[in-house]
Amino acid sequence: WMHPGLARMLDAMDCLAMGLREAPNSADHRLDCLVERSDAMLAVYPPSGARFQAHVDNTAGDGRRLTLLAYLNDDDWVEANGGALRVFPPGSAPVDILPLGGRAALFLADEMKHEVLPTYRPRYSCNVWYYDRPERDRALAQAKATGRIGGGPDDGNISLEEQAAAQAFLKKLLGKDGEGQNGGGSAEELPVLVAAAARLSQGAAKVVAQVVGAPRAAGPSDIAAILSGMTAETLHSLRQELSLMGMG
């Protein structure tokens, strides 16, 4: 079952995306092969400084071509409320977009770096991604044949096992593996985390780097070096920040 209002909004988003597909020279023809979209993701940011670090949605060639989101907030949002979407157009200064109710934002999912700035008022949005048919078909065929997803040039082919290893490490980093301080931080945990980071594969380290905001080229030794320079207090701060990003 889907709420009728959400269904109507998704229909309107689909009409917009498919209209762009048919527009002449739209995004230099990069939208010509748009097909189905993902399921809708409803995002809720609590008013506690919640944010999402800068990233590009599709760095692995998984088929996502267009990101489209609609804001579900009141229309009296002001800059002091925070929560702006900051986009980084190539070759231009960053642009901040306030999440006014009824406003939509869209950009190329495999090019546009973006982030959500700290939010001090409940913030609601609906996010969907539209797939490029040829890239999506290649990614699915590759995943079926090799167990690897996509194949973006910057990330290499990150296998399902590497993604699972990265998720297990992030759980340990958050203290959610039953061994850590469950959101706190202790000096005793740091050597364990450093050793676990050093054992990561290159692909798993790249996944971790993207989540924690480290350079995208960071490898296992880089992640371990970052952790070795931490104190119990900075580990606690990192866990709080990741929790505010919705990872807790």
Side-chain angles (χ1 to χ4, degrees):
W1 180 86
M2 182 181 295
H3 190 282
L6 177 60
R8 289 194 298 271
M9 183 179 68
L10 290 172
D11 286 344
M13 296 169 81
D14 290 343
C15 287
L16 174 59
M18 295 304 105
L20 288 173
R21 182 186 65 183
E22 302 303 324
N25 302 319
S26 181
D28 293 328
H29 297 287
R30 297 206 65 224
L31 304 181
D32 287 353
C33 296
L34 287 186
V35 284
E36 75 273 7
R37 60 166 166 78
S38 67
D39 291 335
M41 182 185 78
L42 299 177
V44 180
Y45 285 71
S48 55
R51 62 188 297 265
F52 203 100
Q53 294 207 13
H55 65 287
V56 175
D57 285 342
N58 175 16
T59 61
D62 61 22
R64 288 180 294 170
R65 179 58 52 84
L66 179 69
T67 299
L68 176 55
L69 55 90
Y71 294 114
L72 311 177
N73 309 300
D74 293 330
D75 60 5
D76 61 348
W77 198 283
V78 296
E79 187 174 352
N81 297 142
L85 172 69
R86 175 169 290 175
V87 296
F88 299 85
S92 302
V95 177
D96 289 351
I97 302 166
L98 292 181
L100 297 174
R103 173 173 283 176
L106 62 161
F107 46 84
L108 292 173
D110 57 351
E111 289 187 1
M112 184 64 72
K113 183 178 180 181
H114 59 286
E115 65 179 318
V116 176
L117 300 182
T119 303
Y120 305 107
R121 175 178 176 177
R123 181 187 189 276
Y124 307 97
S125 67
C126 176
N127 306 355
V128 295
W129 291 269
Y130 292 86
Y131 293 102
D132 175 80
R133 184 186 297 278
E135 183 180 295
R136 178 69 166 167
D137 289 347
R138 288 194 301 270
L140 290 174
Q142 186 177 24
K144 183 177 180 180
T146 68
R148 296 177 178 272
I149 295 177
D154 291 336
D155 286 312
N157 293 336
I158 298 173
S159 70
L160 299 178
E161 291 77 10
E162 287 172 321
Q163 291 198 32
Q167 291 172 357
F169 176 79
L170 288 168
K171 187 176 181 180
K172 182 181 291 291
L173 182 61
L174 281 162
K176 301 293 185 180
D177 62 346
E179 298 177 7
Q181 294 295 309
N182 196 32
S186 69
E188 291 77 15
E189 291 180 85
L190 287 167
V192 177
L193 290 169
V194 170
R199 292 193 297 269
L200 291 170
S201 68
Q202 190 69 27
K206 287 182 178 180
V207 175
V208 172
Q210 187 172 19
V211 172
V212 302
R216 289 178 62 189
S221 60
D222 300 304
I223 302 296
I226 292 171
L227 291 169
S228 66
M230 284 187 171
T231 64
E233 290 75 18
T234 54
L235 175 60
H236 176 62
S237 296
L238 175 63
R239 285 175 169 170
Q240 284 187 316
E241 183 173 350
L242 293 175
S243 294
L244 288 175
M245 289 168 58
M247 295 188 60

